[in-house]
Amino acid sequence: MMKTFKIGLLGLGTVGGGTVRILQETRDEIERRIGHRIEIELIAVRDLQRARLVDTDGIHLTDDPFAVVNHPDIDIVVELMGGTTLAKELLLRAIENGKQIVTANKALLAEQGNVLFALAEKNQVNIRYEAAVAGGIPIIKVLREGLAANQIEWLAGIINGTGNYILTEMAKPEADFAQVLKTAQALGYAEADPTFDVEGIDAAHKLTILASIAFGIELQFDKVYTEGITRVTAEDMEFARLFDYKIKHLGFAGRTSDGFSLRVHPALVKKEVLIANVDGVMNAVMVKGNHVGPTMYYGPGAGAGPTASSVVADIIDVIRAATQEPTERVPALGFQANRLTQAPVEPIDAIESAYYLRCYVQDHAGVLAQISGAFADLGINIEQLHQVPNAEKPQDATLVIFTEKVSERKINQALVALQALTAVDSMIQRIRIADLG
Amino acid sequence: MMKTFKIGLLGLGTVGGGTVRILQETRDEIERRIGHRIEIELIAVRDLQRARLVDTDGIHLTDDPFAVVNHPDIDIVVELMGGTTLAKELLLRAIENGKQIVTANKALLAEQGNVLFALAEKNQVNIRYEAAVAGGIPIIKVLREGLAANQIEWLAGIINGTGNYILTEMAKPEADFAQVLKTAQALGYAEADPTFDVEGIDAAHKLTILASIAFGIELQFDKVYTEGITRVTAEDMEFARLFDYKIKHLGFAGRTSDGFSLRVHPALVKKEVLIANVDGVMNAVMVKGNHVGPTMYYGPGAGAGPTASSVVADIIDVIRAATQEPTERVPALGFQANRLTQAPVEPIDAIESAYYLRCYVQDHAGVLAQISGAFADLGINIEQLHQVPNAEKPQDATLVIFTEKVSERKINQALVALQALTAVDSMIQRIRIADLG
């Protein structure tokens, strides 16, 4: 029998507007799918007088967000306002009021998700958040349900479109970071203050969520090692290309011998790996399961349409789950709340990786021997070493080294030793090489 | 409260063995997810005496498959035996007995799915079939749930690993079809009789299923236009490469002005489109939704581990849905059974496409004018035309033509007209150019 489910929306910005538009434009197709009707009962906006890009005829607007979470007729509260203070307070209230929750707020979940999920568990309410990671790609559903038969070994994602756009442009001849960033800002791909994207904070929020549902661990945003892309140079791009790599800003979550590694940093990826070919503002997440092997999910990571596509898919899921015993619904993190793993997230120097190193060295006899000696002393194997003329500093040579896999602790020791050599004339650039085999 | 769900397995071949192995090896991780236990109660095998590759200690085996579908304690029947006759009879019986169904049988679903789904609907039983298409990629879940907010515009997939392996190898210098097929057979990637794969029948089965859940239409395997890869030559591969294309065997489902187009055929794909870089035995499906835009899903399309990963994910879904009202579960084809679209699947000549054409022509004055005249007469625009020396027939030239988008009816008229010219010295090769923008 057809029922009508009532939505309360918090926020009517880009994604909020997209959500209203999908529910209007795709009403018939959605009804064909679920056999029920979805109606927006009330939307909380910041300024009631502001002009809207979407048609809100017949929808009540309010500037009191608590009116939404306290509204007795609303079944599902959809939070698209962003921020971590008021949004948290509103969602806690909505959960206590027994509302089902859909949110796109990655910062809130990554930083406060444990509290929200615990209260939701207690109140037998589900929180769905497909739109919080990788926009239109249904990666949360894939991890929580589609690959549920697997122990996830690792995942690696291009999960920030701004960063990927910048690195894609920087891979073109004669581009440099500052100039590319300016273009990205002009095109609307980067914010006026781009810190959040280029320093990897946004990606770290998303990685926190992905890691938790991949491994069944608590959300631990503060444990994510985060390194931005601002120090990647055109020269690094050129060397990467020369040796058949692309440089991508990856979020990586994997198992270590004693726990887990969660990290966001630039990485060299062999160009024949599919994810190396994900360019521009597009996102992609590779997931390696112990049974399924390597898989990848690709699509737009931002924008009104893609993000709202995930929001509405969550609304549909919530409606379908309405008659299900709450204990049988897919748990917030994909695992039963009392069965999360307690193994620690390890510090970055506990990882093993191969490394790309680049520096300028004085171009005279004995320097190479000195440098390779420093690696040999630490038992670090060099896979490739290339010395090329340095166009900018003719008295120097540029040295590019690819190491074999070694512990980050060791490579740090090597960097200290090398940096102390008088023959080394620059800061040593160090970029990790991703192992996505 | 922890419950135990009992599985009855039909078939213990590659995928059946993989399913048993996952349920053994990943027992703890699965229990952490669902909070319940899964036990295999009974497995029907063809020959009780045969040695097994998996440990079946503590599991009952029978050579009477009806004992499985009639077993009173079994909750979920998992059909992995293949075939369309006995498997159909068994599943109909299982449905009548109220068992939930999981199957990997694409041929059965594509050819008999409408009957099975109707009986399942009547008996309020769910049929899940993630493993039937693209092995370990959760593409069924993505289409039925993850992209449920979208009207799907089109999808295009590399959904047969054998064919993709062959085309990948043929793209290498000096390879030809017969020789590559032999290697594929030696490696176990192709059957002794490869017809099913290289003629596109297997892909057509999978495409039938994908199209139904993308658009909400009945399964119509007999309406799928199916063309194999046996006539793609090394010469075509070389020309494709020269003009920055790859040739892939694509399953394509899209909307036409009056209905739908369902087709499997070789296609030229621009090499910068991500799916063009999906090589070897890997599968991938691109899906374009009206709100999300272009997305892609990539992974292993066959093999014990990947396919069983999907089988077990389905079992988990069925268990989670056990307390849900049957009418609220995700419907078999993703849309309410009484809301399927009746618009027709149109014949292949109703499509529009750009085309790659190749033929040998007599190398004398006036020939080019004659040929381009034939296109002009029909109002077909040529985008590129290249005449190159023909190494094998020095008196001829090889002509390669890329047309603009035109109706297949018109291109067929053009081919008839051209083929009748005395200057045309060979059959004209025609390969469609995929438009995946």
Side-chain angles (χ1 to χ4, degrees), chain A residues 26 32-33 36 141 145 148 150 216 291-292 295-296 298 300 305 309 320 323-325 328 336 339 341, chain B residues 26 32-33 36 141 145 148 150 215-216 291-292 295-296 298 300 309 320 323-325 328 336 339 341:
Chain A
T26 316
R32 283 178 65 210
R33 289 184 183 274
H36 299 301
K141 181 174 280 283
E145 304 174 39
N150 292 267
H291 301 299
V292 72
T295 63
M296 197 184 86
Y298 163 89
S309 162
R320 282 180 168 151
T323 65
Q324 202 173 12
E325 281 292 337
E328 305 302 308
Q336 301 293 310
R339 299 290 300 274
T341 300
Chain B
T26 317
R32 283 179 65 209
R33 289 183 184 275
H36 299 302
K141 182 174 281 284
E145 304 174 38
N150 292 267
F215 305 132
H291 301 299
V292 72
T295 63
M296 196 182 88
Y298 163 89
S309 161
R320 283 180 167 151
T323 65
Q324 202 173 11
E325 282 291 334
E328 304 303 307
Q336 301 292 310
R339 298 291 299 275
T341 300

Side-chain angles (χ1 to χ4, degrees), chain A residues 1-3 5 21-22 25-26 28-36 130 135-138 141-152 213-217 255 272 274-275 277-278 282 286 290-300 304-306 308-310 312-313 316-317 319-331 333-337 339-341, chain B residues 1-3 5 21-22 25-26 28-36 130 135-138 141-152 213-217 255 272 274-275 277-278 282 286 290-300 304-306 308-310 312-313 316-317 319-331 333-337 339-341:
Chain A
M1 212 188 47
M2 181 163 307
K3 282 180 255 178
F5 287 83
R21 198 173 297 118
I22 289 184
E25 286 176 8
T26 316
D28 288 350
E29 193 83 344
I30 292 172
E31 273 186 41
R32 283 178 65 210
R33 289 184 183 274
I34 57 174
H36 299 301
E130 186 63 80
I137 309 172
K141 181 174 280 283
V142 163
L143 279 168
R144 298 202 312 180
E145 304 174 39
L147 303 182
N150 292 267
Q151 186 168 67
I152 304 300
I213 60 176
F215 305 132
I217 57 177
R255 296 174 186 272
E272 61 266 23
L274 198 60
I275 201 169
N277 301 293
V278 171
M282 299 301 275
M286 279 189 80
N290 65 333
H291 301 299
V292 72
T295 63
M296 197 184 86
Y297 310 89
Y298 163 89
S309 162
S310 287
V312 174
I316 291 172
D317 270 358
I319 289 173
R320 282 180 168 151
T323 65
Q324 202 173 12
E325 281 292 337
T327 55
E328 305 302 308
R329 292 175 188 152
V330 182
L333 293 176
F335 293 80
Q336 301 293 310
R339 299 290 300 274
L340 297 184
T341 300
Chain B
M1 213 190 45
M2 179 164 305
K3 281 179 256 177
F5 287 83
R21 199 173 297 121
I22 289 184
E25 287 176 8
T26 317
D28 288 350
E29 193 84 343
I30 293 172
E31 274 186 38
R32 283 179 65 209
R33 289 183 184 275
I34 56 174
H36 299 302
E130 186 63 80
I137 309 172
K141 182 174 281 284
V142 163
L143 280 167
R144 297 203 313 181
E145 304 174 38
L147 303 181
N150 292 267
Q151 186 168 68
I152 304 301
I213 61 177
F215 305 132
I217 58 178
R255 295 174 187 272
E272 61 265 25
L274 198 61
I275 201 169
N277 301 296
V278 170
M282 299 302 274
M286 280 188 79
N290 65 332
H291 301 299
V292 72
T295 63
M296 196 182 88
Y297 310 90
Y298 163 89
S309 161
S310 287
V312 174
I316 291 172
D317 270 358
I319 289 173
R320 283 180 167 151
T323 65
Q324 202 173 11
E325 282 291 334
T327 55
E328 304 303 307
R329 292 176 189 152
V330 182
L333 292 176
F335 293 80
Q336 301 292 310
R339 298 291 299 275
L340 298 184
T341 300

Side-chain angles (χ1 to χ4, degrees), chain A residues 358-371:
Chain A
R358 177 186 52 76
C359 60
Y360 301 161
V361 295
Q362 289 164 16
D363 191 8
H364 56 69
V367 169
L368 269 189
Q370 212 180 9
I371 288 173

Side-chain angles (χ1 to χ4, degrees), chain B residues 388-402:
Chain B
V388 296
N390 188 317
E392 311 218 333
K393 286 181 149 187
Q395 75 280 22
D396 276 2
T398 301
L399 203 65
V400 173
I401 296 170
F402 291 83

